[in-house]
Amino acid sequence: MRKSTAWFIFALTLFVFGFGFLFPLVLVIKEGFVSSDGGITFKYLIGVFRNPVYVEGLLNSLRLAVGTTLTATLISLPLAWLSNRFTFPGKKVVNALLLVPMILPPFVGAIGFQQIFGQYGVVNSLFGLDVDWLGEGRWMGVILLQSMGLYPILYLNLSAALANVDHAMDEAAENMGATGWTKFRRITLPLIMPGFFAGGTIVFIWSFTELGTPLIMNYTRCAAVQVFDALKEIGSNQFPFALVMVMLTVSVGLYLISKLVFGRQAHAMQGKAATTFQEVKLTGGKGLLALTPFVLVIFFALLPHFGVILTSFSAPGGWYGTVLPEVWTTGNYVEALGHNMTVSSIRNSLTFSLLAVLFNIAFGVAIAFVVVRSDLKVRGLLDGLAMMPLAVPGLVMAFGFLAVSSTLSNTELVRNSDWLKHIVDVKTNPAFFLVLAYSIRRLPYMVRSAVAGLQQTSAGLEEAAANLGAPPMVSLRRVTLPLITANLIAGALLAFAFSMLEVSDSLMLAQRQDFYPITKTIYELFQLIGTGKFIAAALGVWAMVFLAVTLVGSSLLLGKKLGALFRV
Amino acid sequence: MAVSVSLEDVVKTFGSTRAVDHISLTIEPGELFFLLGPSGCGKTTLLRCIAGFHEPESGAIRMGDQDVTRLPPHQRDTGMVFQSYALWPHMTVAQNVAFGLEMRKVGKEETAKRVQDALRMVKMTDRAEHKPNQLSGGQQQRVALARALVIHPKCLLLDEPLSNLDAKLRLEMRTEIRRICKEAGLTAIYVTHDQKEALSVADRLAVLNGGIVEQCGTPQDVYLNPVSEFAAGFIGETNFLDATVRRVSGDEILLETPMGEWTSSRSGKGFSEGQPVRLSIRPEAFRLGDPPTGTVNQARGIVHDTVYLGEVAQHQVRLGDDGGSNVKVFDLNPRILARDTEQEATLWVEAQDVVVLNRGNA
């Protein structure tokens, strides 16, 4: 590609990231360090660590993150290993179903989870118990829900890593006399460590700062919820900014450490594994045995969502202290579609997500092109920049966008222009910032999938087109894009699904009801006494069905390559 | 249709390596020209400069009267056959071949006809609707060739086109490529590291080494009259022996060698008395057995190892000089064999087969 085009894309990326990523972060950091009289101060930061409530919140968040990462590992490692070594009846189906929880919003699942494990829920009714499962152990519920939603990311990473281990490495180990557990511990595990850390880092950062699940589970003593609650006093209280900064530091620090320790070159094998494992075929009882853990995990991962489905079909107040709802109805769906808040929220979410995805496709392909096909020296930097949003929690970004919006709204220019107000003032219209937030935060997935596609497509194919007289844009349209379509669709679907389910930005930035996205509406409905929870469940089911279709579609299109999207 | 291609002082650098170092060459219209050299010699870089995938830092590339140095690849009208074939996997064979015509806005009917003709030329008509991944390596190679030919390019560029084929197919395809190029009257530039390919197919060839042209000429010229140790050693096999010039008289050079006084009946131009030189003598130029009377260039040696190949035996002969030099001798229709035993023999060479080279430019 031409140098001038490459530089233009690089400059454009710098501009977009400067405004949509660095500017918000700088404002968050500034707010945390600058006192009311304009001087630099550490008093807010120190204040956070002096305040026992904040310290408890941070420690609890750490506990959630560690617990979630460990649980997700315990779930996904054995499954990934089984799937790598064996084939058995039903494997394809369970492999696809295993990924479904990824796009089922855990915070929606939390509604069903409470119906099942609540004091007057299914489990107690079934066994005639009266245990308050979610009383003191509420945090364990959050960990369970989060690991059930996040284990697919680890599973995809571990599967990809295992698939990349050259069979010869394994045979060499056996040749030297190492078998079974020793072989796994000394050879396989070290080789898949980079893959594990790549996925583990994402899971850790995600669960460390997850807002939706603890919020619905009413687990208020963690940092994310504390930050969200403090939103009401923003402007008068600088401590939330300092707290957000601590979360940012932990996340970025972890990301950088995993980058340093397991840089892309660590344990790099010569491209793909030269010899892959011949999967051992299991039939009959053995096949069933291998299938069982998959089915169990899928069952437990989907259980909260079954709870949501049941809730959505239960008449308000008709499911209390019984195993199943006593009064069935489809009225919640009717009401959900009739409710003015829900209809507009579906329209809003679709619009915002589609715009974000369109932006991401164009921008992601352009960035990937420079990264893979240009000889620009800064292309590594560009790649790193495009991946950075993975390291920054959504909560932090949301806070940053709020700060950007209020900063810009206070300028003379904006105050005098209705037109500009509609763009930059989230209180007037949050559409611009929501689309920007959705785009920037999901861009890494798009870039990764486009990069993967381009790397699999030999540059010779484009050169052949140029050689035969195709100008660059024609070559892009006729040769490159058709060849990476599968990657683009998968990346786009994923970015779309995640945008539809986005919690932090949606909850914080959308402040007017007519601009609520689905997630904010579900949260608001859930807060309503009486019918709210049931309508929220119906809306959640609608979103889940919609997204399940998108993900199944993308996994069919991309198969195993889906794992490449979740590399840090 | 066919045009000349000329390179004038072309330079291309990657980082700190100079891949192409002031190369000038002229390829005549309709000529089948080879760029030959070991990997890393700059031959592929040079070809990609001609195709327009690299822009040289300095120098000029001309096709016919047109200076194409700064022209992007898609405006150069060259047809390139890639080493990996680069067939588009999402298009059928026919669509692959038709692509270049489509870019040239050729009408539907003519396109169909020309695609048919091109596929017939490479004997692939029955595979027109197949996808590339349903074809064998040799078939893909033919399609790649048809795709490059169908646009009637100003110049056909071939980048190691046969390196991914097995030995038998390689032999078949190299005569095939020559036939097609000659039939179409194309100017073609062919990159390879296989000297046999170059010798058997080229009209002319250039031997490249370290980004410069060591020698350029017809295959026979380069083989028989190498101008440097590299050219002599890279094309065919040869024996190098050290010697000193004793006297130059017209077209004869009298040489002082460890085997005694030898002569070379090559041009003595550029050599002076007392100059240390290196002799290059092809293994097949050596003869074993009693030399005809009056033969100057002879030596006693011991045949200590033989590879017997039927029509030829490849002997290793230790010369009876102090340095203990070892030479390789190809003996056609062999009589002497030394597989497990050593055998004394006399070996001789005609004066016209002794090539005298400057020392130290290997």
Side-chain angles (χ1 to χ4, degrees):
Chain A
M1 87 188 298
R2 276 172 184 253
K3 255 210 160 92
S4 52
T5 322
W7 277 113
F8 173 74
I9 293 169
F10 180 69
L12 189 71
T13 314
L14 281 189
F15 173 76
V16 172
F17 268 76
F19 178 76
F21 185 71
L22 294 177
F23 189 32
L25 288 187
V26 167
L27 282 185
V28 168
I29 293 168
K30 198 191 98 189
E31 294 283 337
F33 276 121
V34 178
S35 63
S36 45
D37 53 15
I40 290 192
T41 173
F42 291 95
K43 69 178 179 195
Y44 304 123
L45 196 61
I46 296 166
V48 164
F49 287 109
R50 285 238 174 100
N51 187 333
V53 176
Y54 287 151
V55 172
E56 194 203 356
L58 280 170
L59 287 179
N60 282 339
S61 285
L62 272 179
R63 181 159 68 169
L64 291 183
V66 172
T68 304
T69 314
L70 281 180
T71 316
T73 308
L74 287 179
I75 294 170
S76 50
L77 187 56
L79 293 186
W81 183 81
L82 276 175
S83 171
N84 181 248
R85 295 302 161 93
F86 306 105
T87 60
F88 41 86
K91 180 178 164 184
K92 269 202 176 129
V93 179
V94 288
N95 252 337
L97 284 177
L98 212 52
L99 302 184
V100 169
M102 187 162 55
I103 50 90
L104 299 178
F107 92 106
V108 173
I111 299 173
F113 193 78
Q114 284 172 320
Q115 283 292 349
I116 294 166
F117 289 102
Q119 200 169 358
Y120 303 99
V122 176
V123 172
N124 279 352
S125 316
L126 200 61
F127 300 105
L129 300 171
D130 188 28
V131 185
D132 187 5
W133 298 96
L134 298 178
E136 274 311 298
R138 201 166 283 276
W139 59 278
M140 282 192 272
V142 177
I143 286 179
L144 266 179
L145 266 167
Q146 285 183 350
S147 21
M148 286 303 177
L150 294 177
Y151 77 84
I153 293 177
L154 257 181
Y155 176 76
L156 286 171
N157 266 291
L158 289 170
S159 299
L162 280 170
N164 239 0
V165 175
D166 198 317
H167 191 192
M169 308 258 177
D170 221 61
E171 288 175 338
E174 279 180 27
N175 178 254
M176 298 285 155
T179 53
W181 175 244
T182 311
K183 186 179 71 181
F184 183 78
R185 192 173 52 85
R186 296 289 306 278
I187 307 296
T188 314
L189 212 52
L191 285 174
I192 61 172
M193 260 307 160
F196 169 69
F197 260 73
T201 307
I202 292 183
V203 170
F204 188 94
I205 293 176
W206 198 315
S207 50
F208 180 57
T209 58
E210 161 83 13
L211 172 63
T213 313
L215 204 56
I216 299 269
M217 289 288 285
N218 201 20
Y219 183 65
T220 52
R221 285 174 301 171
C222 66
V225 178
Q226 286 171 342
V227 167
F228 180 67
D229 285 340
L231 202 56
K232 291 151 201 144
E233 4 170 343
I234 205 166
S236 61
N237 183 354
Q238 300 302 101
F239 286 108
F241 283 106
L243 189 57
V244 163
M245 225 175 52
V246 175
M247 297 172 83
L248 176 66
T249 313
V250 172
S251 303
V252 173
L254 185 74
Y255 178 84
L256 290 180
I257 288 170
S258 96
K259 269 285 204 202
L260 281 180
V261 180
F262 295 98
R264 218 160 285 212
Q265 303 311 317
H267 294 304
M269 278 177 261
Q270 299 296 322
K272 280 235 143 136
T275 50
T276 46
F277 284 97
Q278 191 59 49
E279 292 169 350
V280 179
K281 198 167 177 161
L282 300 178
T283 50
K286 278 186 181 168
L288 219 56
L289 202 66
L291 190 66
T292 312
F294 285 86
V295 173
L296 280 179
V297 167
I298 293 166
F299 174 75
F300 280 110
L302 296 183
L303 193 62
H305 301 279
F306 285 133
V308 178
I309 295 174
L310 289 179
T311 311
S312 74
F313 283 111
S314 158
W319 192 13
Y320 189 79
T322 52
V323 178
L324 288 173
E326 301 208 293
V327 188
W328 298 81
T329 175
T330 52
N332 297 321
Y333 286 89
V334 177
E335 193 151 347
L337 288 180
H339 204 288
N340 56 350
M341 186 155 52
T342 56
V343 176
S344 68
S345 75
I346 292 172
R347 198 178 50 230
N348 286 339
S349 272
L350 281 175
T351 317
F352 299 158
S353 304
L354 272 177
L355 284 175
V357 166
L358 286 180
F359 173 81
N360 274 350
I361 291 176
F363 201 39
V365 170
I367 290 177
F369 237 91
V370 176
V371 169
V372 182
R373 292 283 198 262
S374 81
D375 50 4
L376 237 53
K377 286 216 171 60
V378 292
R379 63 184 195 275
L381 180 72
L382 189 66
D383 194 25
L385 201 59
M387 288 303 112
M388 276 313 281
L390 284 180
V392 178
L395 195 67
V396 177
M397 288 307 297
F399 239 73
F401 284 124
L402 275 182
V404 170
S405 170
S406 76
T407 306
L408 290 180
S409 305
N410 281 331
T411 56
E412 202 65 31
L413 186 70
V414 176
R415 249 183 290 172
N416 294 331
S417 156
D418 257 4
W419 177 78
L420 276 175
K421 213 180 276 176
H422 269 277
I423 294 179
V424 299
D425 186 6
V426 291
K427 292 195 193 80
T428 314
N429 184 345
F432 172 74
F433 275 103
L434 278 175
V435 171
L436 185 65
Y438 290 174
S439 310
I440 295 284
R441 292 202 41 218
R442 307 310 169 200
L443 188 64
Y445 302 115
M446 206 58 225
V447 171
R448 272 275 77 81
S449 61
V451 163
L454 285 177
Q455 278 170 343
Q456 288 154 9
T457 311
S458 152
L461 296 174
E462 287 155 24
E463 287 175 354
N467 176 254
L468 292 175
M473 284 317 279
V474 177
S475 156
L476 179 72
R477 184 169 54 80
R478 292 289 308 277
V479 174
T480 315
L481 287 183
L483 289 173
I484 61 171
T485 307
N487 296 69
L488 292 189
I489 291 180
L493 284 178
L494 210 60
F496 179 72
F498 282 156
S499 295
M500 292 284 288
L501 297 174
E502 211 288 334
V503 177
S504 316
D505 293 298
S506 310
L507 256 53
M508 292 194 173
L509 293 175
Q511 299 179 359
R512 270 180 51 182
Q513 195 183 312
D514 42 346
F515 291 112
Y516 281 179
I518 290 179
T519 39
K520 175 108 186 188
T521 303
I522 290 176
Y523 174 68
E524 291 291 333
L525 284 172
F526 183 74
Q527 304 275 77
L528 292 179
I529 309 293
T531 60
K533 181 166 77 178
F534 300 90
I535 302 174
L539 188 57
V541 170
W542 186 90
M544 287 195 294
V545 170
F546 186 77
L547 291 173
V549 172
T550 30
L551 186 85
V552 170
S554 74
S555 95
L556 284 180
L557 271 172
L558 213 59
K560 265 187 188 165
K561 284 176 255 167
L562 207 59
L565 304 185
F566 290 93
R567 298 294 175 78
V568 177
Chain B
M1 185 76 58
V3 298
S4 67
V5 175
S6 63
L7 310 170
E8 288 158 27
D9 214 25
V10 173
V11 178
K12 177 70 198 173
T13 317
F14 294 113
S16 58
T17 23
R18 179 151 288 182
V20 173
D21 194 359
H22 297 283
I23 286 186
S24 296
L25 285 170
T26 302
I27 294 123
E28 301 299 332
E31 191 174 31
L32 181 46
F33 191 90
F34 270 60
L35 297 172
L36 178 65
S39 61
C41 72
K43 56 189 191 299
T44 294
T45 307
L46 192 59
L47 191 79
R48 290 171 63 82
C49 284
I50 299 171
F53 297 127
H54 296 320
E55 195 175 304
E57 280 102 54
S58 68
I61 300 169
R62 258 178 256 284
M63 291 188 188
D65 304 330
Q66 193 189 8
D67 185 339
V68 300
T69 320
R70 308 273 169 249
L71 219 55
H74 65 274
Q75 289 167 14
R76 292 205 183 189
D77 219 11
T78 63
M80 182 146 166
V81 177
F82 291 80
Q83 184 173 9
S84 60
Y85 314 138
L87 297 178
W88 301 300
H90 61 300
M91 300 184 195
T92 63
V93 166
Q95 285 168 337
N96 263 282
V97 177
F99 187 86
L101 297 174
E102 200 182 316
M103 291 302 124
R104 282 162 181 72
K105 310 227 166 5
V106 174
K108 242 191 181 158
E109 270 173 45
E110 199 195 333
T111 298
K113 190 185 158 296
R114 277 168 71 173
V115 168
Q116 272 297 311
D117 287 348
L119 288 178
R120 191 173 309 125
M121 203 169 204
V122 298
K123 299 173 182 142
M124 286 293 295
T125 24
D126 53 333
R127 297 285 151 81
E129 295 314 314
H130 284 57
K131 286 277 177 72
N133 59 13
Q134 296 170 292
L135 305 178
S136 70
Q139 291 170 329
Q140 291 186 22
Q141 216 278 328
R142 285 163 186 274
V143 176
L145 194 57
R147 187 176 70 178
L149 288 171
V150 77
I151 59 170
H152 302 324
K154 280 186 186 159
C155 168
L156 183 67
L157 306 174
L158 303 118
D159 184 11
E160 309 223 12
L162 306 181
S163 61
N164 290 333
L165 302 181
D166 62 54
K168 187 169 168 288
L169 212 52
R170 224 168 12 226
L171 283 179
E172 204 178 298
M173 280 308 292
R174 69 189 192 201
T175 41
E176 192 77 356
I177 287 177
R178 182 171 172 89
R179 173 185 69 81
I180 289 169
C181 285
K182 289 299 155 192
E183 251 173 49
L186 280 167
T187 310
I189 304 174
Y190 190 128
V191 161
T192 186
H193 63 265
D194 182 339
Q195 37 115 356
K196 290 223 166 94
E197 218 164 280
L199 289 176
S200 60
V201 182
D203 290 331
R204 277 196 311 147
L205 58 90
V207 181
L208 268 63
N209 184 33
I212 61 160
V213 175
E214 289 269 343
Q215 191 171 3
C216 179
T218 64
Q220 196 185 17
D221 187 30
V222 175
Y223 187 78
L224 291 179
N225 305 308
V227 297
S228 66
E229 279 186 46
F230 179 83
F234 189 74
I235 297 198
E237 285 189 71
T238 197
N239 295 295
F240 289 118
L241 294 168
D242 286 341
T244 314
V245 176
R246 172 167 288 185
R247 189 154 38 81
V248 181
S249 61
D251 272 357
E252 270 206 350
I253 310 175
L254 215 63
L255 300 150
E256 174 92 44
T257 77
M259 295 82 70
E261 195 163 281
W262 281 25
T263 58
S264 162
S265 63
R266 319 282 290 216
S267 161
K269 232 191 306 176
F271 295 104
S272 54
E273 243 179 78
Q275 184 186 347
V277 291
R278 193 149 284 160
L279 309 180
S280 162
I281 303 168
R282 301 285 183 196
E284 70 273 16
F286 276 122
R287 312 282 171 81
L288 288 174
D290 295 331
T293 42
T295 303
V296 190
N297 305 333
Q298 51 174 298
R300 300 284 299 164
I302 294 167
V303 182
H304 63 90
D305 196 17
T306 296
V307 176
Y308 181 67
L309 295 169
E311 84 277 19
V312 65
Q314 304 183 345
H315 300 294
Q316 295 288 338
V317 182
R318 194 162 55 239
L319 295 178
D321 61 69
D322 303 335
S325 337
N326 207 42
V327 294
K328 200 172 210 184
V329 176
F330 291 171
D331 189 12
L332 264 174
N333 198 11
R335 295 280 179 261
I336 300 172
L337 292 177
R339 274 191 155 151
D340 302 314
T341 57
E342 300 196 337
Q343 233 175 315
E344 268 195 53
T346 303
L347 118 184
W348 55 278
V349 57
E350 285 182 38
Q352 59 167 340
D353 289 327
V354 178
V355 178
V356 186
L357 300 167
N358 284 313
R359 229 187 254 187
N361 55 351

